């Protein structure tokens, strides 16, 4: 009974720091490295606009309370739509679809549009939150493509995604507009029928040259 309680506590702890679909793999074989190539995912980068300017006016406690409350709210929105949280870095939040085994099964059976639709619902909900929620709003960027996904570290393990898809999604966010969701042609071709896109035009991106972009 005690062993069962201990395992349950470990499972709960791991679930709070890693996606649930990875926890059983880790507990089953803790010494085994986890790394997978996923052929098609869509990644959403979210940036809190003007964060540095606002952070200069906050006490440390107020700053971290704001970040915690903000990211918990995004956690809830992602969970509601079945979107996987990847990581937070400073004032950026990263999430995606196509990474989990369930998403991969859906992609193989019906294509990527259904997965992308759930990610767009997250972006749309964030885009339409009251401006007071995120001060000056958010900038968002999406890209679709392959990644390598795995867990790095035994002490404070972290779920990490690598590849050009991550870099391009980050560029889409960085070169985006406040209150808008920006993406390129690779994502456009999987757009669901309920979502409309307007072309923004070519945008210069570091390491990419001029890239055709669209706004949700």
């Amino acid at each position: 009974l005690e062993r069962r309680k201990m395992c349950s506590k470990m499972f709960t702890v791991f679930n709070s720091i890693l996606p649930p679909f990875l926890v059983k793999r880790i507990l089953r074989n803790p010494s085994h490295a986890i790394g997978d190539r996923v052929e098609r995912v869509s990644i959403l980068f979210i940036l809190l606009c003007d964060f540095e300017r606002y952070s200069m006016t906050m006490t440390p406690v107020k700053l971290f309370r704001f970040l915690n409350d903000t990211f918990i709210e995004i956690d809830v929105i992602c969970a509601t739509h079945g979107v996987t949280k990847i990581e937070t870095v400073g004032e950026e939040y990263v999430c995606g679809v196509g990474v989990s085994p369930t998403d991969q099964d859906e992609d193989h059976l019906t294509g990527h549009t259904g997965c992308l639709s759930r990610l767009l619902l997250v972006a749309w909900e964030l885009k339409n939150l009251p401006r007071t929620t995120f001060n000056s709003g958010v900038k968002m960027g999406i890209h679709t493509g392959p990644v390598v996904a795995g867990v790095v570290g035994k002490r404070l393990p972290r779920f990490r995604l690598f590849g050009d898809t991550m870099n391009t999604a980050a560029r889409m966010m960085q070169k985006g507009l406040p209150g808008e969701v920006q993406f390129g042609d690779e994502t456009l071709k999987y757009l669901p029928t309920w979502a409309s896109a307007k072309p923004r035009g070519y945008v210069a991106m570091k390491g990419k040259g001029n890239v055709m972009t669209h706004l949700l």
Side-chain angles (χ1 to χ4, degrees):
L1 185 60
E2 286 299 319
R3 181 181 177 85
R4 187 175 299 173
K5 286 181 179 179
M6 183 63 68
C7 288
S8 178
K9 287 181 180 179
M10 287 178 61
F11 196 82
T12 301
V13 170
F14 272 113
N15 264 336
S16 68
I17 59 176
L18 292 169
F21 60 86
L22 288 172
V23 175
K24 286 184 179 179
R25 290 177 66 181
I26 290 174
L27 293 179
R28 192 180 300 122
N29 194 345
S31 63
H32 181 69
I34 293 178
D36 303 304
R37 178 174 174 82
V38 186
E39 293 301 328
R40 189 163 56 194
V41 304
S42 285
I43 302 298
L44 170 64
F45 273 74
I46 304 159
L47 175 71
L48 305 182
C49 296
D50 292 332
F51 175 77
E52 285 192 17
R53 179 163 63 88
Y54 281 105
S55 67
M56 297 293 287
T57 67
M58 297 179 183
T59 65
V61 171
K62 187 176 180 181
L63 171 65
F64 279 91
R65 183 183 295 124
F66 166 74
L67 278 176
N68 194 50
D69 291 347
T70 299
F71 289 156
I72 286 175
E73 183 163 3
I74 301 177
D75 285 344
V76 171
I77 293 172
C78 285
T80 299
H81 297 291
V83 170
T84 300
K85 178 181 182 178
I86 308 299
E87 62 180 341
T88 60
V89 182
E91 69 271 34
E92 297 178 15
Y93 187 107
V94 187
C95 57
V97 290
V99 181
S100 71
T102 303
D103 283 0
Q104 291 173 46
D105 289 343
E106 180 182 351
D107 192 309
H108 293 151
L109 289 172
T110 61
H112 192 66
T113 297
C115 293
L116 178 60
S117 182
R118 290 186 278 108
L119 189 65
L120 293 177
L121 286 171
V122 168
W124 185 258
E125 195 165 333
L126 293 174
K127 176 182 165 78
N128 289 284
L129 283 174
R131 182 57 63 93
T132 53
T133 304
F134 298 136
N135 292 324
S136 294
V138 294
K139 289 200 300 186
M140 292 177 278
I142 299 176
H143 190 64
T144 303
V147 295
V148 173
V151 177
V152 177
K154 289 186 177 180
R155 186 177 178 84
L156 296 177
R158 288 293 179 264
F159 183 46
R160 290 288 184 259
L161 272 61
F162 299 98
D164 187 62
T165 299
M166 295 294 288
N167 296 333
T168 305
R171 297 281 185 270
M172 287 289 175
M173 174 202 68
Q174 292 161 2
K175 291 291 187 174
L177 301 171
E180 298 289 350
V181 186
Q182 180 167 260
F183 49 90
D185 289 339
E186 283 302 310
T187 301
L188 179 68
K189 63 187 180 183
Y190 299 111
L191 216 64
T193 55
W194 64 262
S196 60
K198 54 183 178 181
R200 182 187 178 192
Y202 287 94
V203 175
M205 296 188 185
K206 184 179 179 181
K208 299 290 176 183
N210 293 322
V211 179
M212 183 63 186
T213 64
H214 310 270
L215 301 175
L216 185 65

